[in-house]
Amino acid sequence: MANKKRFIFLSEAFYIDYPSAKYPEMEQKHNRPYIQVYVEIDGVQFAIPLRSDIHHPHVLWTDKENHCGVDFTKAVVITDEKYIDLTTDPHIRQNEFDALRGKDYKIKMKMQRYIEDYRKAKQDLSKQVNQNLVKYSTLQYFENEIGFSA
């Protein structure tokens, strides 16, 4: 894909193809869409939302006191360029921008670690913590794309 932007919005086509009724763990706010951090790992493109009110450890904090950050549990795979909204440039709050400055490598590494945590959890659903990780993760919708094999 040709995208070189660091921050993106998902397009209306994405939300049409991934409706909340069928994909309930995906974050969808049409009136104020989530700004996404774009990263590529092993040829797979991810959009990871910047969210607030986060209460789990799978995050890179941009404002820990207010529970804001990059939420890896709600990352989605961008399987088609049409899923990136190229018409709108996201503008993030200065404090979040400052918190993310120079953190591209860290975001990529934390996303890779989260994918591994997801794989391990999926392989042992006897533990409640693993059941919750899988249940609330959007990776459940993209197991083929992330090369998951049980």
Side-chain angles (χ1 to χ4, degrees):
M1 286 186 206
N3 179 62
K4 295 294 180 207
K5 291 185 175 189
R6 181 174 183 205
F7 301 107
I8 62 169
F9 284 115
L10 295 174
S11 69
E12 189 62 32
F14 178 85
Y15 297 109
I16 290 169
D17 291 351
Y18 294 95
S20 58
K22 188 173 179 185
Y23 303 96
E25 288 307 314
M26 286 193 191
E27 297 296 316
Q28 297 190 19
K29 287 184 359 184
H30 296 288
N31 57 336
R32 189 176 63 83
Y34 288 98
I35 294 174
Q36 310 278 331
V37 178
Y38 174 90
V39 340
E40 185 172 325
I41 299 169
D42 297 329
V44 179
Q45 293 79 32
F46 293 91
I48 313 164
L50 287 168
R51 297 182 63 224
S52 55
D53 199 30
I54 302 171
H55 298 283
H56 60 73
H58 307 287
V59 62
L60 176 64
W61 298 111
T62 56
D63 182 350
K64 191 169 186 174
E65 183 177 312
N66 293 303
H67 303 278
C68 300
V70 181
D71 186 350
F72 298 100
T73 69
K74 303 303 177 192
V76 299
V77 173
I78 301 171
T79 57
D80 193 309
E81 189 78 22
K82 73 180 182 178
Y83 293 151
I84 299 173
D85 180 351
L86 298 173
T87 64
T88 309
D89 283 329
H91 298 284
I92 69 172
R93 292 183 288 249
Q94 188 64 45
N95 68 322
E96 289 191 294
F97 180 81
D98 292 343
L100 293 172
R101 187 183 329 223
K103 300 276 185 3
D104 294 1
Y105 179 78
K106 188 171 187 175
I107 292 168
K108 187 175 180 176
M109 292 299 102
K110 284 184 81 82
M111 184 65 207
Q112 283 180 308
R113 192 171 320 124
Y114 179 71
I115 292 167
E116 285 307 310
D117 289 347
Y118 177 86
R119 286 182 177 140
K120 288 176 186 171
K122 184 79 185 223
Q123 290 173 345
D124 182 8
L125 294 174
S126 66
K127 297 175 184 166
Q128 187 64 47
V129 67
N130 290 351
Q131 290 174 28
N132 288 342
L133 191 150
V134 172
K135 178 180 180 181
Y136 296 112
S137 176
T138 51
L139 292 184
Q140 65 183 299
Y141 311 126
F142 300 102
E143 289 182 349
N144 289 337
E145 290 82 357
I146 64 169
F148 179 78
S149 56

